[in-house]
C-alpha cells in the first residue's frame, strides 16, 4: 500500500536533503558533448504548463516545438508586465533553457529581472527552478565581448554566482554506429585532441580525397527545414 507522508515526515526528509547539500531552488547547468540526451522527473502533480521548454535560439526551439526564452519571459517587452502576462506563468515550476551558450551576460540579467517581476519575488530568477542546457565549447554569442560571456571572469559573474548544480552528460547516443568517431569528438570537446585525431579530421574535408556530399543532400535538408517552418507557423 502507498501511504501519504505526514507533514512531519516531509519536513524531516527536507531537512535530511538539505544536510546533504540540497537547495530550495535548483539552478542547474546541464552540459556535455553533442549528441547527449537527458530525462527529468519530479514528484509533483503537473499540467502541460508545469514544465516550460525553451531555447535561446529560434532554430533550437523549433526542433522540439518550444518557444524562445525571450518570447516566453517577455525579455524584449519594455512596458510593465500585465496580469495576463503573469497568469501565463502561474503553473510553471521548472524552466528548461537550451542553447544557453548563445546567451549574453546582459540577457541573463534581464531574464533574472523579468522572472523576479513575474513571481514578485526577490530570489534569483524569481525562485523558479531552471535547467540551463548547452555547451560553452560550441558557438558564443555573435560579436560578444569578453565582458558579455557568461563563463568569462570579466563578466558580472551573475551566472557563476547563481548556478548551484552542474551535470555533465557523458553518453554517446548519436555515435552508436561509430563509437570511434564519438570518442574523437569527446576528446575534441575536452581539449585533448591528438595529432592523429587532427590528421583524420583533415582527411575527411569535403572536396579532398574525392569526398562529396550524398546526392541531393542539400535539397533534402532545405526541404526538411521548410516543412518544419510551415508547421511552426
Amino acid at each position: 500500500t502507498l501511504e501519504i507522508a505526514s507533514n512531519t515526515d516531509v519536513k524531516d526528509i527536507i531537512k535530511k536533503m538539505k544536510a546533504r547539500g540540497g537547495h530550495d531552488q535548483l539552478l542547474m547547468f546541464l552540459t556535455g558533448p553533442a549528441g547527449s540526451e537527458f530525462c527529468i522527473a519530479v514528484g509533483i502533480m503537473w499540467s502541460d504548463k508545469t514544465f516550460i521548454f525553451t531555447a535561446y535560439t529560434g532554430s533550437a526551439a523549433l526542433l522540439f516545438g518550444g518557444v524562445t526564452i525571450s518570447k516566453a519571459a517577455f525579455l524584449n517587452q519594455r512596458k510593465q508586465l500585465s496580469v495576463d502576462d503573469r497568469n501565463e506563468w502561474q503553473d510553471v515550476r521548472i524552466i528548461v533553457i537550451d542553447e544557453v551558450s548563445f546567451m549574453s551576460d546582459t540577457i541573463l540579467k534581464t531574464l533574472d529581472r523579468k522572472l523576479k517581476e513575474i513571481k514578485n519575488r526577490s530570489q534569483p530568477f524569481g525562485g523558479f527552478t531552471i535547467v540551463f542546457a548547452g555547451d560553452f565549447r560550441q558557438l558564443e554569442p555573435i560579436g560578444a565581448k569578453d565582458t558579455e560571456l557568461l563563463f568569462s571572469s570579466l563578466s558580472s559573474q551573475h551566472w557563476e554566482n547563481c548556478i548551484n548544480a552542474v551535470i555533465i552528460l557523458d553518453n554517446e547516443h548519436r555515435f552508436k554506429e561509430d563509437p570511434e568517431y564519438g570518442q574523437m569528438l569527446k576528446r575534441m570537446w575536452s581539449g585533448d585532441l591528438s595529432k592523429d585525431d587532427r590528421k583524420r579530421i583533415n582527411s575527411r574535408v569535403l572536396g579532398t580525397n574525392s569526398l562529396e556530399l550524398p546526392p541531393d543532400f542539400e535539397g533534402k535538408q532545405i526541404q526538411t527545414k521548410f516543412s518544419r517552418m510551415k508547421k511552426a507557423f
Side-chain angles (χ1 to χ4, degrees):
T1 60
L2 180 63
E3 296 182 0
I4 299 176
S6 66
N7 289 334
T8 303
D9 293 333
V10 171
K11 290 179 180 179
D12 185 52
I13 292 172
I14 293 174
K15 183 178 180 180
K16 289 180 179 179
M17 292 180 68
K18 286 186 176 181
R20 293 175 177 268
H23 300 276
D24 291 323
Q25 175 191 9
L26 177 65
L27 294 170
M28 183 174 76
F29 177 40
L30 182 69
T31 188
S36 302
E37 291 187 336
F38 71 95
C39 178
I40 304 171
V42 294
I44 59 173
M45 294 295 293
W46 67 81
S47 67
D48 57 354
K49 291 187 177 181
T50 303
F51 291 82
I52 178 169
F53 292 91
T54 72
Y56 186 68
T57 63
S59 56
L62 186 64
L63 290 176
F64 54 78
V67 296
T68 63
I69 188 60
S70 296
K71 180 178 180 181
F74 318 107
L75 300 190
N76 298 321
Q77 183 172 309
R78 296 185 178 181
K79 63 180 181 179
Q80 189 173 6
L81 298 181
S82 66
V83 174
D84 289 339
D85 292 336
R86 289 192 175 90
N87 285 343
E88 288 186 28
W89 286 78
Q90 185 175 358
D91 296 327
V92 175
R93 296 294 180 271
I94 297 177
I95 309 168
V96 179
I97 305 175
D98 196 12
E99 299 288 12
V100 70
S101 65
F102 286 96
M103 187 178 289
S104 67
D105 188 56
T106 297
I107 296 298
L108 182 77
K109 290 186 288 186
T110 301
L111 174 64
D112 181 29
R113 178 172 53 83
K114 285 289 186 179
L115 293 180
K116 286 176 178 176
E117 186 179 352
I118 287 171
K119 268 296 190 184
N120 194 25
R121 291 180 181 174
S122 59
Q123 291 175 266
F125 301 99
F128 285 105
T129 287
I130 305 179
V131 177
F132 295 97
D135 184 0
F136 286 121
R137 292 189 180 274
Q138 295 186 24
L139 296 177
E140 300 173 354
I142 298 175
K145 299 179 180 178
D146 288 345
T147 53
E148 284 294 301
L149 299 177
L150 298 186
F151 57 85
S152 173
S153 60
L154 299 178
S155 70
S156 69
Q157 299 293 289
H158 191 58
W159 164 266
E160 184 174 343
N161 293 333
C162 287
I163 295 298
N164 54 35
V166 175
I167 293 179
I168 301 177
L169 301 177
D170 197 35
N171 64 322
E172 299 171 5
H173 171 77
R174 196 175 294 174
F175 307 108
K176 290 180 179 179
E177 298 180 359
D178 195 350
E180 184 180 352
Y181 185 64
Q183 287 293 324
M184 183 177 66
L185 291 186
K186 186 178 291 185
R187 290 193 292 274
M188 178 186 291
W189 185 82
S190 61
D192 295 328
L193 204 63
S194 67
K195 289 184 179 180
D196 289 338
D197 290 333
R198 297 174 189 273
K199 185 177 180 180
R200 183 182 179 191
I201 291 173
N202 289 333
S203 71
R204 302 295 297 169
V205 177
L206 289 174
T208 64
N209 299 326
S210 302
L211 290 174
E212 297 180 358
L213 287 174
D216 200 32
F217 177 82
E218 292 182 348
K220 289 181 180 179
Q221 292 291 309
I222 294 173
Q223 185 176 7
T224 301
K225 290 182 179 179
F226 182 68
S227 299
R228 287 175 177 166
M229 288 176 64
K230 288 197 296 184
K231 290 179 181 179
F233 292 103

